[in-house]
Structure formats: C-alpha cells, structure tokens
C-alpha cells in the first residue's frame, strides 16, 4: 500500500460459511467491485474496506473536507448505502463514517483483538432482523382518563364549570399524573413484548411529531426478531393498537 493511502473501514462480517445467509447476490458483488471495496480475512472475520487518499480525511485538506457539506454528504450517503446493502446479505457490524487504518497490519491487529466479540455478535443476530417500535401517548386523552377516575368528568363531559377548568388545566400542564398513565401503558406493552421477543434494548426518545399536537413519544425500543416470527410481531402491533391498554398510549 502506498504511503499516501489509508484503509477506510466499512465494517465486519463473518467469513462465508459461518452465516446462514453467506451467499452474496450478483448485484451486490458488482456494486462492491465498482466501488473498489476489498476484504481482509482474520480468524473467521472479514474486514470490509476501501483504499483512499489519506489527505481526504487528514491534515488541512481533511479538515476542510469534513467541514464542507457538499463534499461530506455524498460520501456519507455512499457509506450508508454500502453498509445497508451488506447488512441485508449477512450479519454485519458497521463501522462509523471516517474510520481509517494506516495499514493492513494495523487493521489485522484490530480485527484479531475484537474477533471474539464480533463472532458473538454475528451469532446473536444471524437469522434475525432488527425492528424499531415507537410508542406515542396522547397527553390530552390521558388527562381525560385521569379526570374520569377522579370524578371530574363523566362520559367525557365535565361535571360543572369548575371541573371543566380543572380538566383544561390538567391538559395544559401535561401533569405528572397523565405521564403516569402513559408510563403504565408503556410498561404493560414492554411486559407483553418481553414475553414473546426477549432480545430488546431501549433507544433515546427522539422521534418525529405524533399525529396530533397532544401526542408525545413515550417509548422507543429496538428488537431482534427471528425471520420466522416476524409475522408474530406485526400481529402483536395490530392487537396492541386495538387493545384497551393502548387507548391512552
């Protein structure tokens, strides 16, 4: 490798034969060949990388490039495209954009040091897809449910003018009590999911706006779901959205 070059790492996969989805389709092979992507085999692990000019990411020119949105955007998109394509072919562990190694020796050493962790990761996700579920709660509806419990409203109608004002105050303040109702509904959903799909992690509460102004993100989770039970998750979502427990969340 020339001194002016670096190895841009896209990620890792298991070597062919370890994965149940080890065959790569023709279109993917053609894309990888066109982009000049190579592999380095290290004790059952493949490192996927591309040779690039070191100055693209290092030194003064690299600093200018990384602050130039027009230079950065197409390369980030290309990175995500390759990672997404490889992830659809077999268990794949992606690297962050701009991860560089100075030589094959340094990449080999890194892959060897992380081989056991990577192998465990591949075994864990093989034959599974990652699903994301977001739970939205309607804070106004939650406040109405609480008000009904407290005798402030009956059948959706406030019992007197003072109670009408109390209801509106509860809705405006997005009270801790209404949050409690949403949290309880979300906890019920998690309990139901854990009973069927054990491999689950929480994600940050960052999401697009809900369908109404009063909706907010209550929970955001990711699940690893085996291919043969994906329909079960779809069915769970449909049943949950129609269940009594979900009416306020």
């Amino acid at each position: 490798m020339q001194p002016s070059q670096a190895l841009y790492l896209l990620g890792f996969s298991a070597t062919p034969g370890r994965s149940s989805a080890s065959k790569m389709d023709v279109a993917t092979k053609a894309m990888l060949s066109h982009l000049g992507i190579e592999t380095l085999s290290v004790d059952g692990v493949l490192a996927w990388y591309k040779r690039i000019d070191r100055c693209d990411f290092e030194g003064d020119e690299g600093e200018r490039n990384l602050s130039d949105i027009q230079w950065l955007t197409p390369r980030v998109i290309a990175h995500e495209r390759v990672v997404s394509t490889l992830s659809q072919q077999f268990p794949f562990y992606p690297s962050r954009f701009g991860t560089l190694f100075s030589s094959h020796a340094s990449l080999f050493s890194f892959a060897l040091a992380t081989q056991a962790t990577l192998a465990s990761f591949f075994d864990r996700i093989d034959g599974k897809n990652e699903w994301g579920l977001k739970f939205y709660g309607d804070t106004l509806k939650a406040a109405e449910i609480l008000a009904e419990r407290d005798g402030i409203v009956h059948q959706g109608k406030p019992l007197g003018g003072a109670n009408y004002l109390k209801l509106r105050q509860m809705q405006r303040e997005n009270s801790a009590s209404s949050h409690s109702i949403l949290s309880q509904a979300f906890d019920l959903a998690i309990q139901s999911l854990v009973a069927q799909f054990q491999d689950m992690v929480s994600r940050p509460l960052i999401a697009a706006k809900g369908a109404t102004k009063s909706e907010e993100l209550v929970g955001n989770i990711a699940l690893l779901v085996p291919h043969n039970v994906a329909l079960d998750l779809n069915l769970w979502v449909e049943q949950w959205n129609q269940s009594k427990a979900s009416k306020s969340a």
Side-chain angles (χ1 to χ4, degrees), residues 40-100:
L40 178 66
S41 180
V42 183
D43 195 16
V45 169
L46 283 181
W48 298 79
Y49 68 91
K50 176 180 174 64
R51 300 170 193 257
I52 65 164
D53 289 332
R54 186 186 299 273
C55 61
D56 284 348
F57 286 86
E58 296 182 353
D60 293 339
E61 184 174 346
E63 188 173 340
R64 287 192 299 269
N65 288 339
L66 293 174
S67 61
D68 182 353
I69 193 65
Q70 293 184 343
W71 184 92
L72 199 58
T73 299
R75 287 163 177 80
V76 170
I77 292 174
H79 176 100
E80 294 299 329
R81 178 190 173 200
V82 173
V83 165
S84 176
T85 300
L86 291 174
S87 297
Q88 292 171 14
Q89 299 292 314
F90 33 64
F92 187 77
Y93 188 93
S95 65
R96 292 184 177 181
F97 175 79
T99 300
L100 304 182

Side-chain angles (χ1 to χ4, degrees), residues 60-226:
D60 293 339
E61 184 174 346
E63 188 173 340
R64 287 192 299 269
N65 288 339
L66 293 174
S67 61
D68 182 353
I69 193 65
Q70 293 184 343
W71 184 92
L72 199 58
T73 299
R75 287 163 177 80
V76 170
I77 292 174
H79 176 100
E80 294 299 329
R81 178 190 173 200
V82 173
V83 165
S84 176
T85 300
L86 291 174
S87 297
Q88 292 171 14
Q89 299 292 314
F90 33 64
F92 187 77
Y93 188 93
S95 65
R96 292 184 177 181
F97 175 79
T99 300
L100 304 182
F101 287 84
S102 60
S103 66
H104 287 92
S106 62
L107 176 55
F108 186 95
S109 296
F110 178 81
L112 188 61
T114 56
Q115 185 275 337
T117 301
L118 290 169
S120 176
F121 171 79
F122 298 141
D123 289 340
R124 178 187 176 194
I125 69 171
D126 191 18
K128 300 177 183 177
N129 286 329
E130 180 179 329
W131 288 65
L133 291 183
K134 291 183 173 64
F135 293 81
Y136 288 90
D138 189 322
T139 54
L140 297 184
K141 188 181 295 184
E144 290 176 1
I145 291 173
L146 181 65
E148 184 118 19
R149 292 177 182 176
D150 292 347
I152 295 173
V153 302
H154 179 65
Q155 295 182 347
K157 296 181 179 180
L159 300 176
N163 285 333
Y164 175 86
L165 295 177
K166 288 181 181 179
L167 173 61
R168 290 294 174 261
Q169 181 179 1
M170 292 171 66
Q171 293 173 334
R172 285 194 304 270
E173 292 179 351
N174 190 20
S175 68
S177 297
S178 69
H179 273 289
S180 177
I181 293 176
L182 299 182
S183 297
Q184 290 171 17
F186 177 61
D187 289 343
L188 287 175
I190 292 300
Q191 292 172 23
S192 176
L193 281 168
V194 168
Q196 298 184 58
F197 315 101
Q198 292 81 18
D199 212 343
M200 179 188 317
V201 295
S202 297
R203 283 175 164 172
L205 294 180
I206 300 174
K209 294 181 179 179
T212 67
K213 290 183 179 179
S214 60
E215 284 188 352
E216 65 177 84
L217 184 65
V218 179
N220 187 12
I221 63 173
L223 304 94
L224 280 178
V225 181

